[in-house]
Amino acid sequence: MEIIITDLTRFNTSDKVCIAGVNINTNKCVRPMPYLTTTKCQELNILPGSKLKGDFQQNTSRGLPHSEDNYYNNLIHNGACTADEFHKVLNNTIAVSVSAGFSYLFPEGGKVIPYTNIPHQSIVTVKVKSSQIKIVKDSFSHGKIKLNLKDNDNKKYTYLPITDLGFYNYAMKHFDDIDFPEKINAFIDKQEELYLRVGLSGRYADNNGRDGYWIQINGIYTFPNFDTEIRSYT
């Protein structure tokens, strides 16, 4: 099976990286397991748009909503896809909205799907206008950034964590710049198309009693142009 990588996300407390991609024949999402290390991803130059080949077998032990989990063997890097191929993969996986993608009607200000309402998938693609998002600094954690979103159903989501590894590395480098994050927001505003890869965390209960699967932004992709610094390891 060959997949095109659409998600390259980081963990807060680990050097492991979660990658996910789309099977180009079925448009189904595949999350290779076990996780790779950051070093291994850099060695193989695995980035969004990379093609990976391998033998994949679905992991049914973790259960929903992480139906994308697949054990792998013989994983190899098979080059990079074209911009048109990446654009097609994103278009082929679009959900109308976050709520529609996860089959759960989020309340205003909601960020978590209760564990009693388990969706059948943990990653969706949502296409929005650049004016519908804003990247902001995390005022509580240096180097972290969040995303505010007005979805296509007019539902507003604020302060969503951005786990996209490229954006995290960019933020760590430029967080104290006088024009950050205004510069990257200005770049996004000039693009014609914007796609968000929206993921769900593993089950987690916070101190306020909210127990379930939390929204995170796995990937932010713009067309026709992208920021080369964000989409590289340098």
Side-chain angles (χ1 to χ4, degrees), residues 58-75:
Q58 187 172 23
N59 171 19
T60 58
S61 61
R62 189 179 185 189
L64 297 175
H66 296 87
S67 57
E68 305 87 357
D69 288 4
N70 277 253
Y71 293 120
Y72 60 83
N73 283 304
N74 305 315
L75 193 67

Side-chain angles (χ1 to χ4, degrees), residues 28-124:
K28 290 185 177 180
C29 185
V30 174
R31 182 186 291 111
M33 301 288 289
Y35 301 122
L36 300 176
T37 64
T38 302
T39 300
K40 189 64 175 178
C41 285
Q42 290 177 333
E43 288 177 357
L44 296 176
N45 199 32
I46 295 175
L47 293 164
S50 295
K51 293 182 177 181
L52 294 185
K53 272 189 174 181
D55 301 319
F56 295 96
Q57 182 176 6
Q58 187 172 23
N59 171 19
T60 58
S61 61
R62 189 179 185 189
L64 297 175
H66 296 87
S67 57
E68 305 87 357
D69 288 4
N70 277 253
Y71 293 120
Y72 60 83
N73 283 304
N74 305 315
L75 193 67
I76 60 171
H77 186 271
N78 199 38
C81 71
T82 65
D84 287 342
E85 287 176 317
F86 194 63
H87 187 260
K88 183 179 180 180
V89 159
L90 294 175
N91 270 319
N92 286 345
T93 56
I94 286 177
V96 175
S97 66
V98 175
S99 285
F102 293 125
S103 301
Y104 174 74
L105 185 60
F106 285 88
E108 196 65 43
K111 302 178 184 181
V112 57
I113 299 177
Y115 72 93
T116 52
N117 295 78
I118 303 176
H120 291 283
Q121 59 184 342
S122 67
I123 308 176
V124 299

